[in-house]
Amino acid sequence: MTAQVEEIRLNLPHVELAAHLYGPEDGQPVIALHGWLDNANSFARLAPLLPGLRIVALDFAGHGHSAHRAPGASYLLWDNVADVLQVAEQLGWARFSLLGHSMGAIVSVLLAGAMPEKVERLALIDGLMPYTGEAEQAPAKLAEALRAQSALAGKRKPVYADIERAVEARMRSAGSISREAAELLAERGLMPVPGGYTWRSDSRLTLPSPLRLTRAHALAFARAVQCPSLLVLAEQGLLHTEPKFAGVVEDLAFDVRRLPGRHHLHLDDEAGAQAVADCFNPFFAVP
């Protein structure tokens, strides 16, 4: 938590992204990707415990201090994949590793599966594959997404009278987190507005997906990963409680470690962050 961190901006052709930069200039290049509606502070505890890595912890578009996508643009998973690739190109990294939590882990697997020549190592925290849907569900899913998009203009973000109320709301959301973790995410994720505070995140991020990959699609990406891959699963995390993922992990060529903790085990407390770091440090140290 006391390690030096630098705030940087990355100007992509279509959107400006914010990021935290950790580690020595000559460290192993790593792009760290946070979960849905989180931000770069997701790695505030973990990144300082990973010496020797040059970590760029992004705010995904529409999250944290990154810009929102242009009107009419989407927030589909593969849009994030394209952004990460452009970030690496801007940094001059022909090859790099990915450190991903939750949605960030999913984006990491999609990129590593699609472009294995780019990714050196894959370090994942309680995330692997997106929620999937089958062909017969597609018309209903698209209708749901179109209706939600039409209704979005009439909705307003919640405004909290003070930061404490926003923190408490974040603690109650999906993938419940500790107060300290919620405070770290709120530190970067809130902005002042008349009447109090609201989240910086783009409201379009809460829209349902117009199209989901099938289970076969999602598995194909995971099976196409060629680099060394380590997946840390939280014993009280989302993958542990999601029946759709039962048996999937065992069928993949990923090293899997199970640790006590919830979905944000790397952020909830220092002990959890250290336990995750103890898994990842030897993984990154292997030549």
Side-chain angles (χ1 to χ4, degrees), residues 201-281:
S201 53
D202 193 328
S203 296
R204 289 175 290 173
L205 291 165
T206 64
L207 292 173
S209 300
L211 183 67
R212 284 183 172 175
L213 298 178
T214 67
R215 184 179 177 86
H217 280 126
L219 283 170
F221 280 100
R223 289 169 178 158
V225 172
Q226 297 179 17
C227 64
S229 303
L230 174 57
L231 169 61
V232 170
L233 291 178
E235 291 178 352
Q236 291 82 45
L238 294 187
L239 266 65
H240 180 78
T241 58
E242 177 52 60
K244 290 184 178 180
F245 295 113
V248 170
V249 173
E250 288 73 17
D251 292 336
L252 297 173
F254 287 27
D255 187 6
V256 179
R257 311 287 175 84
R258 289 174 170 81
L259 296 177
R262 297 176 296 184
H263 186 52
H264 287 77
L265 75 164
H266 66 298
L267 184 64
D268 276 335
D269 55 42
E270 291 292 344
Q274 187 63 62
V276 174
D278 288 344
C279 292
F280 287 153
N281 278 319

Side-chain angles (χ1 to χ4, degrees), residues 100-178:
H101 170 246
S102 195
M103 182 185 75
I106 294 167
V107 170
S108 297
V109 171
L110 293 178
L111 178 52
M115 304 193 74
E117 71 279 8
K118 293 287 185 180
V119 182
E120 291 270 9
R121 292 181 178 274
L122 207 54
L124 310 176
I125 305 169
D126 215 48
L128 177 64
M129 292 175 13
Y131 289 107
T132 58
E134 298 309 317
E136 60 271 15
Q137 301 166 336
K141 285 297 298 178
L142 179 57
E144 177 190 9
L146 291 172
R147 293 189 187 101
Q149 187 173 1
S150 296
L152 188 63
K155 294 185 176 180
R156 295 292 179 266
K157 289 183 182 180
V159 175
Y160 304 96
D162 52 46
I163 293 175
E164 177 63 23
R165 295 189 187 184
V167 167
E168 290 174 353
R170 182 64 184 85
M171 290 171 65
R172 295 191 298 268
S173 64
S176 61
I177 61 177
S178 71

